[in-house]
Amino acid sequence: MRSTRVWRLLCFLTLICTFSAHAAKFEWVPVSATGTHTINGNTIVLVGGDQEVTIDLRLSGWDADMNGDPLLGAFQATVDSSGYTSGAGAALNPLGWPGSPEDGAFQILNRCTVDFMPDPNGQPCVLQSDCSGEACVSNSDWVFFGLTSISAISTSLLNYEFAAAAQAGGAVDGGTSSHGATLILEVPANAAGSYTIGFVDNQNQTFMRDANAGPINGIILTPVIISIACSTNTDCDDGSACTDDVCNPDQTCSNSNNYDDSQFCCNPATSNLTPLDDGIECTDDVCDSDTGVVTHPPLQSGTTCGNPSSSDCDDPDTCNGLGTCASNFVPGGTLCGDLSNTDCNSADTCDGLGVCSPNIAPPGTPCGDSSDSECDNPDSCSGGGTCLQNLEPNGTPCADDSFCTVNDSCLDGLCSVSSPRDCGDGLACTTDSCDDDLNVCVNTLDPNRCLIENECFADGSLNPNDDCQDCDSGLATGDWAQRPTGSVCDDGNPCTGTGRPGVGDDTCDEFGICAGVEDPECNDDCGFAIEALEGSTASDNSGAGPDDDEASCQPDSNSDVWFVYTASCDGLVFVNTLGSLLQPSNDPVLSVYDACGGNEIACDDDSGPGLRSEAIFPVVAGTTY
């Protein structure tokens, strides 16, 4: 959006040129009027209309060193009647105008009649060029000035443009202004207000050139103001509903806008206001002051708009020439930011939307070392631009391919932590080792040892289940060997092989059977007591002799038998005759002594079920009872 009040200007000459350091001056100077008037500088005030006003165009400022070379000048002027505008066009021939600069004094009379307000149907303004007969007025310091006839485009509006061109020669600028033209304006009787005759301030339209067609800059432009003296505000009525018409104390009219022309466009017929701003940066907000109509032509492509900031991926916003503010994003893929390039972080590039993207590889993207093992997985990107080694945590189980190590685990990416394989078989008679070549444990039987049913025995050890067999590693290491006939053994019967005269020991026969002669006095006396084990010990009293001692709790007991018990711990021992086959009538008596012929420490008759006996007595570990 860019608010503009339109002045339709005539562009009639385009020159490609270089700039000079000298200034050119174009000035309208009021000369006279045919009626009552006053002149103050470049302002002429008329008392009433119906007058002809003569103004001179003065030119100065061309290069004094041109040495008489031709000088080209041109101007485009406007007649401004309180903001109303119209346009005019002219065709100019910058060279070959009639006449000759040799005399240095050529006069041109220029006459233009302008129909001022309130007549909306006046004749077009005409500039005439005539250098013959009585129409020529002598003025010795005028430069040669050729004019072409031009007319206003619109005759219904009160503002006109006109143009002329000049070629100077002979009389160079001696520091004083030279005449370029005289313009005579006819002011009608009903004229009111103020009018400005000015120049188009554009170096391609109002200019002066040197002999090489180079511009003489800068251009100083001075307009002339023609005012009709007023006595009341009514005298200053310009016919526009958009102005406040005021007659000033100096009898000049002021026709100032009664609205904010930076915000609105006013219809001079209705005073209706139309907002100028359409809210779009890339359109011009143009007010046609003749009609009050607002248009919004697009601004020229490349005009700055929007976000002026600039970055690697976002150039400043500019208008696209179609009314839109374009975000000038750098094309996607353009390098920007960090240009370093790794497996996980490629060089930054623009995303096409103004952002410099880091181009970090997604998590899991392969990178670095691709080798794969139990303790070191292939490297991969972290998602943050870093290549991760992906080592398994220290202590992760692995296999080091060695049979003789166990509990292998990872350490810093290597399977390097392990324990020796325990090849022990739990047997004291073997030497244990590990064979890594054969991937086996080796358990070598020691010399002079037997390993029978997974139990170790030294040479000479008896078979616990058969005293007629022993370990003989010279004969067999994995089975029992038969002992020689006559070897002392134990057939398991406590009443055989007691060793007494006539009884002897149990011995192995030729078939490997242990047998012995039964002792008639077996456990009949305390000295030949049989061992009572924790659990049950079987015996009977058939054939037993007289009692050795009488039980205190039943002195009438008969046919006693004896047992010996060695305590395995300190505590109380419970003993009973449950299941006893002792006679008579299965009515036993139980008594306990601390030694053969010693003190009775417990006695019981019939405390158990039926007629059976039971007793509890304290013992000391290792003591025999």
Side-chain angles (χ1 to χ4, degrees):
M1 56 184 177
R2 184 168 295 175
S3 298
T4 303
R5 299 187 66 196
V6 171
W7 301 99
R8 294 180 186 154
L9 305 179
L10 177 64
C11 181
F12 63 91
L13 185 61
T14 301
L15 293 177
I16 300 175
C17 52
T18 58
F19 291 94
S20 168
H22 300 277
K25 181 175 182 181
F26 288 76
E27 180 181 18
W28 284 118
V29 178
V31 176
S32 64
T34 56
T36 305
H37 66 277
T38 59
I39 296 176
N40 182 11
N42 290 83
T43 300
I44 182 170
V45 179
L46 308 180
V47 179
D50 194 20
Q51 298 191 49
E52 288 185 356
V53 177
T54 301
I55 61 175
D56 278 356
L57 172 64
R58 302 293 179 91
L59 300 90
S60 61
W62 57 81
D63 191 345
D65 296 327
M66 289 179 61
N67 299 319
D69 291 332
L71 170 71
L72 176 65
F75 70 91
Q76 181 174 355
T78 63
V79 178
D80 175 9
S81 56
S82 302
Y84 284 77
T85 62
S86 66
L92 297 177
N93 180 9
L95 298 176
W97 288 310
S100 170
E102 294 177 358
D103 297 334
F106 287 84
Q107 301 83 31
I108 301 174
L109 174 64
N110 302 279
R111 181 181 296 274
C112 181
T113 300
V114 179
D115 291 316
F116 288 87
M117 289 178 57
D119 181 4
N121 298 312
Q123 296 300 310
C125 171
V126 177
L127 292 179
Q128 298 176 334
S129 174
D130 189 353
C131 280
S132 63
E134 295 179 358
C136 291
V137 178
S138 176
N139 194 326
S140 61
D141 66 347
W142 279 25
V143 297
F144 175 80
F145 207 98
L147 291 174
T148 59
S149 178
I150 60 175
S151 61
I153 294 175
S154 172
T155 60
S156 63
L157 300 175
L158 302 179
N159 191 44
Y160 300 92
E161 297 176 350
F162 53 92
Q167 186 175 14
V172 296
D173 184 6
T176 60
S177 297
S178 296
H179 292 281
T182 295
L183 181 64
I184 301 175
L185 300 177
E186 185 176 339
V187 180
N190 57 357
S194 296
Y195 304 88
T196 299
I197 302 173
F199 301 91
V200 176
D201 189 4
N202 185 303
Q203 64 182 11
N204 289 324
Q205 291 171 265
T206 300
F207 60 83
M208 191 174 292
R209 301 278 191 258
D210 61 22
N212 297 316
I216 300 174
N217 289 320
I219 302 292
I220 300 173
L221 305 173
T222 305
V224 68
I225 299 174
I226 301 175
S227 293
I228 312 302
C230 61
S231 58
T232 66
N233 289 343
T234 302
D235 294 339
C236 295
D237 186 4
D238 60 1
S240 172
C242 297
T243 58
D244 290 330
D245 308 319
V246 177
C247 181
N248 299 313
D250 61 357
Q251 293 186 298
T252 61
C253 289
S254 296
N255 304 100
S256 58
N257 290 338
N258 54 20
Y259 66 98
D260 185 351
D261 61 4
S262 68
Q263 299 293 322
F264 300 97
C265 183
C266 182
N267 186 326
T270 64
S271 74
N272 288 337
L273 298 179
T274 302
L276 283 172
D277 189 357
D278 62 356
I280 300 175
E281 279 189 281
C282 287
T283 60
D284 202 351
D285 304 319
V286 179
C287 172
D288 187 336
S289 59
D290 294 339
T291 64
V293 174
V294 178
T295 56
H296 305 284
L299 293 179
Q300 183 178 2
S301 176
T303 303
T304 300
C305 63
N307 185 0
S309 62
S310 179
S311 66
D312 287 349
C313 296
D314 186 7
D315 293 332
D317 298 349
T318 56
C319 298
N320 66 357
L322 299 176
T324 300
C325 185
S327 298
N328 294 318
F329 299 139
V330 173
T334 303
L335 292 176
C336 61
D338 184 2
L339 300 182
S340 59
N341 194 3
T342 66
D343 287 349
C344 296
N345 186 8
S346 300
D348 298 349
T349 56
C350 299
D351 65 356
L353 297 175
V355 176
C356 185
S357 299
N359 292 329
I360 294 175
T365 301
C367 63
D369 185 359
S370 61
S371 61
D372 191 4
S373 67
E374 287 187 284
C375 296
D376 184 6
N377 299 311
D379 296 350
S380 64
C381 297
S382 67
T386 301
C387 186
L388 302 176
Q389 286 185 295
N390 293 328
L391 303 179
E392 291 290 341
N394 288 345
T396 300
C398 61
D400 63 2
D401 298 328
S402 172
F403 175 79
C404 293
T405 60
V406 295
N407 300 323
D408 301 336
S409 63
C410 300
L411 177 64
D412 299 333
L414 299 176
C415 188
S416 59
V417 177
S418 60
S419 301
R421 180 180 290 276
D422 183 5
C423 283
D425 56 8
L427 300 174
C429 57
T430 59
T431 298
D432 305 322
S433 63
C434 182
D435 189 331
D436 217 6
D437 294 332
L438 299 177
N439 291 340
V440 295
C441 280
V442 179
N443 306 105
T444 304
L445 186 65
D446 294 337
N448 304 317
R449 292 296 189 102
C450 296
L451 180 59
I452 304 172
E453 295 181 355
N454 206 38
E455 187 174 352
C456 291
F457 296 94
D459 271 347
S461 298
L462 298 179
N463 183 345
N465 299 315
D466 187 349
D467 282 357
C468 290
Q469 295 178 332
D470 67 358
C471 165
D472 187 344
S473 61
L475 297 177
T477 59
D479 203 356
W480 297 108
Q482 184 171 317
R483 297 176 68 194
T485 301
S487 297
V488 176
C489 60
D490 183 359
D491 64 3
N493 184 348
C495 290
T496 63
T498 60
R500 288 196 296 174
V503 176
D505 298 320
D506 296 339
T507 59
C508 299
D509 62 16
E510 59 184 2
F511 301 106
I513 297 173
C514 183
V517 177
E518 187 170 341
D519 189 337
E521 296 185 15
C522 176
N523 78 329
D524 187 34
D525 295 326
C526 181
F528 296 98
I530 63 175
E531 187 177 10
L533 303 175
E534 293 177 1
S536 298
T537 300
S539 184
D540 65 71
N541 64 347
S542 60
D547 292 343
D548 295 342
D549 289 293
E550 290 292 340
S552 63
C553 57
Q554 177 50 270
D556 193 18
S557 58
N558 297 286
S559 303
D560 58 0
V561 289
W562 293 82
F563 303 89
V564 61
Y565 166 70
T566 301
S568 60
C569 61
D570 294 346
L572 297 176
V573 171
F574 172 74
V575 62
N576 64 26
T577 58
L578 178 64
S580 174
L581 298 179
L582 298 178
Q583 299 298 324
S585 301
N586 199 21
D587 179 18
V589 175
L590 179 63
S591 58
V592 180
Y593 298 87
D594 58 8
C596 288
N599 299 317
E600 183 184 59
I601 57 176
C603 186
D604 179 70
D605 182 26
D606 302 338
S607 293
L611 300 176
R612 284 166 287 185
S613 301
E614 59 187 17
I616 296 176
F617 60 95
V619 297
V620 176
T623 302
T624 299
Y625 300 91

